[in-house]
Amino acid sequence: KPRKDYEKYADVDYLSSFFFEEEYQALDLKTFPLDYERFSKDLIKEVLASYQEVLRLDLSEEDWFNDIKELSVKFNFAPAVKLWKKNKDQYPGHVGDIAEMIRIATTGRKQSPNLYDVFQVLGLEACKKRLNYIVREL
């Protein structure tokens, strides 16, 4: 399946730079596109801190995502988008919102390659280090 976010070879460097720790550390936390209009900084910090504690990379992609669903339920987010769409007044958001918080914290971007694959490349230590960094700095 071809990547649609790479229009030309020059895009690859920028779009994959977050894989390198020095490039990630050079990102300005103020530019991370976290959704502060919908979610408080305290909630985002709490979600990321909780995820850091349960993060495992020795799971299948399905089981790994199920852990994110469980985290969603813990914070009263809908574990499925369809459920949230039917009951928006009962949930502050859905599992995709939780996954987006995690993606932004670890990559600095709303869009990246498959998050499970990104985590596998970065490794457990780097992922936890990035999550911890965001929790401390928010």
Side-chain angles (χ1 to χ4, degrees):
K1 186 174 175 183
R3 303 240 3 130
K4 294 179 181 177
D5 47 350
Y6 300 141
E7 292 182 20
K8 54 192 176 303
Y9 184 73
D11 294 339
V12 174
D13 187 42
Y14 168 74
L15 293 171
S16 62
S17 62
F18 66 84
F19 280 109
F20 302 96
E21 193 60 31
E22 56 277 356
E23 296 289 333
Y24 175 81
Q25 291 298 324
L27 295 173
D28 182 357
L29 187 57
K30 293 176 187 166
T31 65
F32 279 40
L34 292 162
D35 192 349
Y36 297 124
E37 290 181 19
R38 290 182 58 209
F39 311 113
S40 71
K41 281 186 181 183
D42 288 340
L43 174 62
I44 294 170
K45 286 171 65 168
E46 196 173 343
V47 166
L48 296 176
S50 292
Y51 184 62
Q52 177 188 343
E53 292 174 10
V54 299
L55 174 59
R56 292 180 49 200
L57 297 182
D58 60 339
L59 304 170
S60 69
E61 185 172 359
E62 183 179 338
D63 290 339
W64 171 82
F65 191 67
N66 283 336
D67 282 353
I68 295 176
K69 284 183 181 180
E70 288 177 23
L71 184 70
S72 301
V73 171
K74 176 181 175 181
F75 287 94
N76 196 36
F77 280 62
V81 176
K82 285 182 182 180
L83 179 61
W84 174 74
K85 284 184 178 182
K86 290 180 184 177
N87 306 291
K88 287 185 179 183
D89 57 325
Q90 293 180 10
Y91 303 100
H94 54 80
V95 65
D97 295 318
I98 298 289
E100 183 175 84
M101 290 177 201
I102 295 167
R103 178 185 311 277
I104 292 168
T106 53
T107 68
R109 304 191 176 126
K110 278 190 170 189
Q111 295 179 323
S112 73
N114 176 293
L115 191 56
Y116 176 79
D117 294 336
V118 168
F119 275 42
Q120 294 297 319
V121 170
L122 289 173
L124 185 63
E125 185 178 323
C127 292
K128 286 188 172 195
K129 180 179 176 184
R130 289 180 181 198
L131 291 166
N132 187 45
Y133 168 71
I134 298 301
V135 168
R136 275 192 338 265
E137 298 298 320
L138 271 185

